[in-house]
Amino acid sequence: MTLTESVYLSALAAFLVSGVAAQTAPQYGQCGGMGWTGATICPANWSCIVTNEWYSQCLPGSATTTTVATTTVATSTVGTGSTTASSTSTASGGSATLDPGYSFVRSVEAPTFHQYLESQVLGTASPAVVGDYTNAAQYQVVNGQLIQNAGGTSLYAVVQPPANSTVKKLGVSWSRTPDTLGSFVFSGDSLEWSSPTVPRQQTNAWLVCPSGSAQLLPDINLGAYDYMTPAGCSDTTLNAYTGATAVP
Ligand SMILES: *[C@@H]1O[C@H](CO)[C@@H](O)[C@H](O)[C@H]1NC(C)=O
Ligand SMILES: *[C@@H]1O[C@H](CO)[C@@H](O)[C@H](O)[C@H]1NC(C)=O
């Protein structure tokens, strides 16, 4: 019997024995994720840990008994986890809970895999950066504007206009006034930007480039994806993530 099979069988046994499967998921069983209609509570001293937006699983570790029924219900264990919980899984921490109608936005390619779009100075009008999941900000695209929910106020992503036709990347920063150069859109889950006045080869091509303070700035790549990447930068796309909390 493989490990997977034995885990499955013990989960099944727990499921059959418990008789309260509608309320309590078995050890190592699913306890949440988009479309999940089954049990959302884990056994005592087990925690429901978000794997991704489709799947949360009961894993050993105390923390609190946490309910993750859908993507709109969060493992809000920030600041409440015990030392046991924090050593159990990096996912038991996480960011603030995602508000309905918003998405996290994250890079999906190494070396910035699952770094999240945020403000260099948290929640303020400052350069856009990709960084740690614990500081992940939340976004909506409305009428072509990428809007950051900064504690009740809106910050708009504004794109720096190209100085001349040799410029290959455009910086992005957060502003209290909307962008006038182009439009953002989520195409599927991919964040794209286009402008009637700035030709681009690929509207979902982003670069992340280090700045002096070791922050990684996302830049709009005016060239082709993964072609003639500027020195020090790397290619990525930025994708919406609608898990209950931002996770590494
Ligand atoms: C859960 O953990 C606490 C503290 O370690 C322990 O006292 C308790 O017996 C445990 N409960 C179960 C059901 O294992
Ligand atoms: C184009 O703009 C960049 C950035 O401002 C500048 O470094 C470069 O010298 C300019 N090139 C030309 C040909 O004007």
Side-chain angles (χ1 to χ4, degrees):
M1 187 159 59
T2 68
L3 179 60
T4 310
E5 284 166 346
S6 68
V7 167
Y8 174 77
L9 286 177
S10 62
L12 182 64
F15 178 93
L16 293 173
V17 167
S18 71
V20 289
Q23 291 83 37
T24 305
Q27 295 178 353
Y28 299 106
Q30 185 171 3
C31 55
M34 199 179 288
W36 175 247
T37 56
T40 56
I41 293 172
C42 292
N45 296 345
W46 288 60
S47 301
C48 188
I49 301 298
V50 177
T51 304
N52 56 46
E53 70 187 281
W54 304 105
Y55 194 79
S56 298
Q57 186 181 27
C58 292
L59 292 173
S62 57
T64 50
T65 303
T66 307
T67 304
V68 183
T70 69
T71 55
T72 59
V73 180
T75 53
S76 192
T77 56
V78 179
T80 65
S82 63
T83 49
T84 327
S86 61
S87 66
T88 303
S89 167
T90 49
S92 64
S95 65
T97 303
L98 191 65
D99 287 336
Y102 285 83
S103 302
F104 300 110
V105 173
R106 63 187 184 181
S107 169
V108 297
E109 296 295 335
T112 58
F113 180 77
H114 288 185
Q115 295 207 21
Y116 286 77
L117 186 62
E118 52 206 41
S119 289
Q120 187 166 42
V121 180
L122 202 60
T124 69
S126 57
V129 299
V130 291
D132 193 76
Y133 69 97
T134 55
N135 292 331
Q138 306 183 13
Y139 304 93
Q140 273 180 329
V141 172
V142 179
N143 297 328
Q145 301 289 329
L146 175 64
I147 303 173
Q148 180 186 152
N149 177 1
T153 62
S154 294
L155 293 174
Y156 300 90
V158 294
V159 178
Q160 164 197 44
N164 58 54
S165 62
T166 70
V167 169
K168 290 295 174 224
K169 60 189 178 72
L170 304 180
V172 179
S173 57
W174 300 105
S175 167
R176 299 215 173 272
T177 52
D179 181 72
T180 54
L181 190 58
S183 335
F184 288 92
V185 68
F186 281 118
S187 175
D189 68 354
S190 183
L191 182 63
E192 306 196 349
W193 182 84
S194 59
S195 165
T197 57
V198 183
R200 294 187 73 188
Q201 298 192 24
Q202 216 170 314
T203 55
N204 66 348
W206 291 81
L207 294 164
V208 286
C209 309
S211 81
S213 57
Q215 297 270 20
L216 294 165
L217 306 181
D219 289 289
I220 283 167
N221 180 3
L222 297 180
Y225 186 88
D226 212 10
Y227 178 72
M228 293 178 69
T229 305
C233 301
S234 56
D235 294 270
T236 194
T237 59
L238 293 178
N239 294 71
Y241 176 70
T242 54
T245 61
V247 292

